């Protein structure tokens, strides 16, 4: 199965790295804040369809990412040191 650019979600008070359809399947089996939200149920369906060979990996992963985003589970990385410096320079120019 193809790997994707990993995303990190924060679920059940811990970080979880999701980089593949099996990772997404595992994450979807965990307790989510809103278990019956339509986007989560759609992600489960899409992942199952993908594993059965009836849906593309990209579509299933996108459905998972959308469901995680809707429930506020995507963990944002803080900006790198270089990016913070660049932001400071840009602010000085304005």
């Amino acid at each position: 199965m193809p790997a994707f650019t990993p995303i990190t979600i924060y679920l059940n008070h811990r970080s979880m790295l999701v980089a593949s359809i099996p990772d997404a399947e595992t994450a979807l089996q965990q307790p989510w804040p809103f278990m019956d939200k339509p986007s989560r149920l759609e992600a489960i369906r899409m992942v199952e369809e993908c594993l059965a060979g009836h849906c593309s990996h990209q579509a299933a992963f996108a459905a998972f990412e959308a469901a995680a985003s809707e429930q506020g589970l995507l963990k944002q990385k803080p900006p790198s040191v270089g990016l913070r410096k660049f932001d400071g320079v840009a602010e000085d120019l304005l």
Side-chain angles (χ1 to χ4, degrees):
M1 300 201 160
F4 299 92
T5 301
I7 60 172
T8 301
I9 62 171
Y10 192 74
L11 195 57
N12 303 318
H13 306 290
R14 63 183 183 150
S15 295
M16 179 180 234
L17 188 67
V18 180
S20 67
I21 297 301
D23 291 346
E25 179 183 39
T26 299
L28 287 164
Q29 293 170 352
Q30 304 302 311
W32 283 41
F34 303 99
M35 296 292 284
D36 295 327
K37 204 136 184 117
S39 61
R40 180 181 171 275
L41 299 176
E42 177 66 8
I44 291 169
R45 185 187 72 75
M46 296 284 287
V47 165
E48 289 173 352
E49 290 291 322
C50 178
L51 292 171
H54 304 297
C55 164
S56 74
H57 292 90
Q58 291 80 10
F61 199 79
F64 171 80
E65 191 170 7
S69 177
E70 183 178 313
Q71 292 204 27
L73 302 178
L74 290 182
K75 187 174 182 181
Q76 299 296 322
K77 287 184 180 179
S80 68
V81 173
L83 185 56
R84 284 194 306 265
K85 287 181 182 178
F86 179 76
D87 286 344
V89 170
E91 286 177 14
D92 289 343
L93 292 174
L94 297 175

